[in-house]
Structure formats: structure tokens, C-alpha cells
Amino acid sequence: MNGINTPKRNGPPERTRFELDGRSVALDRRIHAARGDLADLALAGVLFSAHYARAVPLTCVATGTAITSAPTPTADAVSELLRGETFHALDVMTDWAWGFCGHDGYVGYIRRDALDVLEMPSHRIMVESAPLFSAADIKAPIADHWPGGALFSGVVQGDFVACAEGFVHSRHAEPIETKSADWVCVAERYLGQPYVWGGRGHRGIDCSGLVQAALGQAGIPVPRDTDLQCEGIGMPIDSDAALQRGDLVFFPGHVGIMTDAKTLLHANAHWMAVVKEPLADVVARLADAHAQPIIARRRISA
């Protein structure tokens, strides 16, 4: 023999032994797609799973639909996907798909009939709610109402943007590359909208959904939940520094947006709506339950 390990000519080939080494990593399952039987292939280097799947990007074609914690209509809503946003599917079942949202990586289940092949959007709804006309005429029957932030592919035709489902008035839509200069102004469009846990603007919105929706339309992607936002948005503000428009104030499990030095804009379960009120009133309301009502203040850099 020549000293080289040559393969056997008879019998089955020798199997290569596969071993995992290194320290196991604790992953936040809200933003890392891994469950007991399946995980995103992108996690193969850091997480062992019985099976991996490569994510398939699909488009949400429903006006708005819940992302839920389990594949059942009675499961808790953990977030929401709007028309035109992307969902990366890892497991597609008869009625449900499991995967993560394209804009923030949030993991959950979505109704299968809310998804279709990937669409490349050209426009965004830039008002709180936009009527979808059945023809290029403001007197035409309204087929639907699309929420602010919804995305779609269309072609400008006179005063309208024509798309597969109908016509959106050009006053209600903007090219997707357009970024709102005043993101607080975007947030103020949601004033009066009902507070809905997990909502991002379709028939309701929650506190972190309001922050995410407004900043997202300004071209600033942010995480979904308040704790993730508190860790990952902007820079801390000194406790003795004056607040200003656009600052974020974090409370236990809650977040709001300052519209000036003293006024907070927030979606909240006390009023069950998006409201503006004095920050001092919010602090006083929480003082009985929390020794430290304000847990963080952060400023978005220009």
C-alpha cells in the first residue's frame, strides 16, 4: 500500500461522522424561526434541529391579517402583516403557514389564503386608510380600504395608481422609495385608531406597532416588541435632559412618542385608542403599580 487511505471497493461506503461543537446558544424564538421539529436553514450553524427548511418569500395579499402563536383561529395574535408585506414561509400546511415576517423577522403562523407568490411593490399607502376604487373615478364603488403602510405594485394613470385589485388615488399613495421626513407626523395619522393587541394598523394598532409603523415609513426599520425596541432604537437620553419631539419614552411593557417636550402620543389599553395626552398624566396613572414608571428614554438620531 502507498500509505494513502483508499476507500473500500466492496460493501457500503463509510459514513462521515457529524458532530456539533461549541456552546449552545439561547435564541429569542420571537425573532429566530425554530420550533421542536423544524428550524430556518439560516440557523443551521448555531442551532441543532431535526429538520431545516429554506425560507420561501411570499406576499401578503390580504388587507391585513394576524400573525398568531399557533395554527388555529383562537390563538393569540402576536403581530400583523399588511397587504404587500413579505412573509418567509418555512412550513406550508393546508390552512396555515409558519415562518417569519420580512420587515422585522417576527416568527409566527399566518393563514395560508392570505399569501401568494412574491410581488415586488412599487407604492405605499401614505394615509391612515385609503379607499381602493373599482375604477379610476372617485365616484366608482369602493372595493376595499387599505391601511397606512400597505404595499402594492401599480402604474400611475392620471390621478390614480392602477393595480391588480383596483385603483388607489395618487393623493393616498407614494412611491415605495419615498421616505417620510417627519415620522412623528406619520404616527399622528393613527390618532383615534382603536388599540388592538398585536395590531399594526389594520383595524387597530398597539403601542410598539405604532412606533414600528411610523419609523418604518420613514425608512427606519425597528423591532416589533417594546423590549426589543428599548434595546435597539436610538440612543439613551440623560435623565435630566429635556425631552423633544420624536423622543421615545419606555414604560414597563409600553412605549410612547413625544410630540413635544410634554405631550405623549401612544396606543394604549387605558383609553383603548391612539391618543395624545400629557406625559405627566401617564406617569401619575402608572405610579401606583410601578415604583419607576419610566424605565428608559431614547432619542432617534437624525
Side-chain angles (χ1 to χ4, degrees), residues 123-130 146-152 168-175 178 180 185-186 189-190 217:
H123 288 77
R124 176 193 300 110
I125 300 299
M126 55 169 291
V127 292
E128 191 269 335
S129 178
W146 283 352
L151 308 173
F152 65 101
V168 177
H169 199 280
S170 59
R171 296 286 189 188
H172 298 156
E174 62 186 3
T178 302
S180 298
C185 183
V186 176
R189 296 175 191 161
Y190 294 86
Q217 291 176 54

Side-chain angles (χ1 to χ4, degrees), residues 195 197 207-208 226-227 250-255 290 295:
Y195 175 85
W197 179 271
C207 63
S208 56
T226 54
D227 62 323
F250 290 89
F251 312 86
H254 188 58
V255 62
H290 303 282
I295 59 175

Side-chain angles (χ1 to χ4, degrees), residues 114-161:
L115 301 173
D116 207 334
V117 295
L118 186 65
E119 175 185 300
M120 300 306 295
S122 61
H123 288 77
R124 176 193 300 110
I125 300 299
M126 55 169 291
V127 292
E128 191 269 335
S129 178
L132 176 70
F133 296 96
S134 57
D137 186 338
I138 62 172
K139 297 180 182 179
I142 296 173
D144 201 353
H145 284 85
W146 283 352
L151 308 173
F152 65 101
S153 178
V155 178
V156 177
Q157 295 183 1
D159 291 334
F160 291 84
V161 183

Side-chain angles (χ1 to χ4, degrees), residues 45 47 49 55 89 98 113 129 135 184 190 222 229 231 257 266 273:
L47 174 77
S49 177
W98 176 74
D113 56 12
S129 178
V184 179
Y190 294 86
V222 300
Q229 291 178 356
E231 296 168 0
I257 304 161
H266 60 147

Side-chain angles (χ1 to χ4, degrees), residues 24-91:
S24 60
V25 179
L27 299 177
D28 188 335
R29 299 303 174 96
R30 293 174 296 175
I31 53 175
H32 294 94
R35 64 187 194 193
D37 63 331
L38 184 64
D40 183 3
L41 182 61
L43 299 176
V46 296
L47 174 77
F48 175 78
S49 177
H51 301 93
Y52 297 96
R54 188 184 303 276
V56 176
L58 300 169
T59 292
C60 176
V61 292
T63 303
T65 191
I67 302 297
T68 62
S69 59
T72 170
T74 59
D76 292 340
V78 296
S79 191
E80 184 175 57
L81 213 60
L82 305 180
R83 195 261 175 255
E85 292 184 321
T86 302
F87 186 80
H88 295 269
L90 294 165
D91 183 16

